[in-house]
Each structure stands twice: as structure tokens, then as C-alpha cells.
Amino acid sequence: MPVIKIAQKNKIISVESGKNLMDALLEAELPVASSCHGQGVCSKCFVTVSPIGAHTELELKTLEKNKLDLSKRLCCQIFVTNDLSVETTYW
Ligand code: FES
């Protein structure tokens, strides 16, 4: 099972491989900003993830539209298949 490390909150959670990152964070009682409910269009759920992985086409379009740099990912568009560390400015 992949492990997600959230240093800002002193949390480490294990998730099923393929689990949506936004769902995993919410289930771990970590707030995730969103106004599109995970549809990948609002960009409010942006996080910094390591390793960063590959952006989806929708993420690239949304990040560009909202003038966010490509060092960010949209957590609603990430499906966890390996260990990650996650941080964001709104925690
Ligand atoms: S929740 Fe809106 S882009 Fe992720």
C-alpha cells in the first residue's frame, strides 16, 4: 500500500493503490479547497507533491488557465500508486 506523508500536519497515511489523492486527504480529515468537487476545473485543490508525477491534460489546461506554475498538481486528478509527500499553502 502506498504511503502519503503530510509533514505539515504530522500525518502519514496508507492508501489502497489507485486511490484518488483528494479522497484520501479528505478521509484523513485534512481539508481540501475545492469549488468544482473534484472535476479538475477550479484549481483550488492544488498541492505540491513529491515525486511530482505526470500532469493530466486537464490539469495542464486548468493550471495554465489559473496562472499556476507546473510545479503544482491538482490533488483531485492524482491517483496514488507510489509513496508521496504532499504539502500545500492552505494548511
Ligand atoms: S477540486 Fe477543483 S480542480 Fe481539484
Side-chain angles (χ1 to χ4, degrees):
M1 289 175 71
V3 170
I4 303 170
K5 183 177 177 186
I6 306 111
Q8 286 170 283
K9 294 291 187 180
N10 289 322
K11 278 198 175 209
I12 295 175
I13 54 177
S14 296
V15 299
E16 295 282 333
S17 185
K19 178 90 174 170
N20 179 272
L21 179 57
M22 182 173 172
D23 291 343
L25 296 173
L26 291 172
E27 287 172 17
E29 301 183 350
L30 291 162
V32 177
S34 168
S35 64
C36 75
H37 307 290
Q39 298 301 303
V41 295
C42 74
S43 80
K44 292 184 177 179
C45 69
F46 73 87
V47 291
T48 301
V49 178
S50 181
I52 189 165
H55 294 85
T56 66
E57 281 187 37
L58 176 61
E59 273 185 286
L60 291 172
K61 189 174 168 183
T62 299
L63 290 170
E64 184 175 295
K65 182 181 76 178
N66 292 291
K67 299 182 176 17
L68 289 169
D69 68 69
L70 297 182
S71 67
K72 307 293 187 230
R73 294 286 314 268
L74 302 178
C75 71
C76 70
Q77 301 300 303
I78 297 173
F79 293 89
V80 182
T81 56
N82 53 275
D83 293 353
L84 297 174
S85 62
V86 180
E87 60 184 71
T88 191
T89 56
Y90 56 81
W91 285 336

